[in-house]
Amino acid sequence: MGTRQHPNLHALGDLVGLQPTVNYAEHLNQVNLASWGPRTIPDYQILFVIEGKVELRIGTRRLVLQAGDSCLYGPHSPHQITTLIENTSFYSVHFQWHADSVDPLHPAHDIREVSPECALQEPTTYTLDLWDANVIHFPPIFRIPSLGPLFLPIVDEYREQQPGYSLLLRAHLIVLLTTLARSQIVQQTQMERKKIAPALEAISASPHQSWTVQELAHLCGYNPTYFADLFRDLTGQAPKVYLLQVRTLKAKQLLLSGAKHADIAEALGYGSVHYFSRNFKESTGLTPSQFRMTTER
């Protein structure tokens, strides 16, 4: 995960420093077809489709959301929302990422209709800084079905407005936005790990081979120095350490299956049983025999 230049990039700040405020929250059941916009809003909106289909026109893109899909945009992105089929239901939450007050400020008075020409303006990509100097990017549409239940307490608190509701709205919104951020971290990490996928697959398929950095880098098409740095960034380990961990995992599986130490040492590319036992103890704190006895209790 790293920064990437974008013509319409807007930094939201630091994840751990968020002070979000809910401005509006509702569960909408749209029986008939309806459309909102083209328009701009004064805050941010996240919409989660429960049932049916919703079209989001943002910039030059036409995106169709179905059950389990969400969209996110802010005051910098003209857009239009249209239900495509009858009996479409969705959650809609308007919010600010940072606000001193927890009290909702309804966006209705500052929503502005725009011309179709203005609506073609390219949408803004929002970024959020992480604690490790990395940055995550929020796309205008994403699929995270597990977000659905997190909207319900926000809608309930907004509707009922019991004492302290505005503070609870912030708390529930922090949970929602942090869950969203985590999902983007996982997704971006998975995308980044594809860069070293050939090396990971080779190690997994042939842990007995004494892979060198040069060989693994060649599989991925990288310079060895760049590959070693990239591998460490994405796995948290040097290639050699990662290979030894894979071997240890395979060794545990073979030990549990009842394989002999000599056979395991040979299968995993160790020069001798002594070398295998020494490496296994360095990785696990137990000798192979101790590990087997511990699991048999």
Side-chain angles (χ1 to χ4, degrees), residues 2 35 40 43-44 46 63 89 158 160 163 170 183 185 209 211 218 232 276 280:
S35 185
T40 58
D43 51 8
Y44 295 82
I46 181 169
L63 307 170
S89 63
Y158 185 83
E160 296 173 10
R170 171 171 284 182
S183 71
I185 293 169
Q209 186 168 332
W211 293 101
H218 178 72
R232 188 178 293 106
F276 160 61
F280 189 89

Side-chain angles (χ1 to χ4, degrees), residues 64-271:
V64 177
L65 290 76
Q66 303 187 58
D69 291 337
S70 301
C71 58
L72 171 67
Y73 43 80
H76 320 84
S77 300
H79 59 275
Q80 181 171 6
I81 308 167
T82 304
T83 57
L84 297 179
I85 61 176
E86 296 177 345
N87 297 311
T88 291
S89 63
F90 54 89
Y91 292 118
S92 174
V93 174
H94 282 258
F95 67 99
Q96 290 289 2
W97 286 91
H98 298 279
D100 293 332
S101 173
V102 294
D103 295 330
L105 183 62
H106 201 291
H109 297 298
D110 293 309
I111 293 177
R112 299 285 182 264
E113 298 294 321
V114 299
S115 67
E117 292 76 18
C118 290
L120 294 177
Q121 172 187 321
E122 277 303 300
T124 296
T125 294
Y126 298 102
T127 66
L128 197 60
D129 296 331
L130 303 179
W131 51 88
D132 55 1
N134 282 318
V135 176
I136 53 176
H137 295 69
F138 292 103
I141 182 172
F142 45 89
R143 181 169 183 78
I144 312 173
S146 59
L147 283 184
L150 301 182
F151 285 87
L152 188 56
I154 298 176
V155 170
D156 287 344
E157 287 293 337
Y158 185 83
R159 285 178 173 178
E160 296 173 10
Q161 299 193 8
Q162 296 296 314
Y165 83 99
S166 57
L167 190 60
L168 281 175
L169 281 175
R170 171 171 284 182
H172 290 309
L173 182 58
I174 287 174
V175 173
L176 173 63
L177 295 178
T178 302
T179 302
L180 172 58
R182 281 182 174 179
S183 71
Q184 292 306 111
I185 293 169
V186 171
Q187 184 179 38
Q188 289 178 204
T189 300
Q190 289 174 341
M191 291 176 64
E192 289 290 309
R193 283 176 73 94
K194 288 182 180 179
K195 295 178 180 179
I196 60 170
L200 297 176
E201 291 167 1
I203 291 173
S204 178
S206 303
H208 61 279
Q209 186 168 332
S210 297
W211 293 101
T212 65
V213 171
Q214 289 76 12
E215 290 171 331
L216 295 172
H218 178 72
L219 291 174
C220 299
Y222 297 129
N223 169 277
T225 301
Y226 173 80
F227 168 79
D229 290 340
L230 179 63
F231 193 96
R232 188 178 293 106
D233 287 343
L234 296 178
T235 67
Q237 299 165 326
K240 182 178 180 180
V241 175
Y242 183 88
L243 171 60
L244 290 176
Q245 284 207 344
V246 171
R247 284 183 176 179
T248 299
L249 178 60
K250 298 280 188 182
K252 288 180 178 180
Q253 294 169 348
L254 291 170
L255 285 167
L256 293 175
S257 72
K260 296 179 179 179
H261 295 182
D263 293 337
I264 297 173
E266 182 179 356
L268 295 179
Y270 290 103

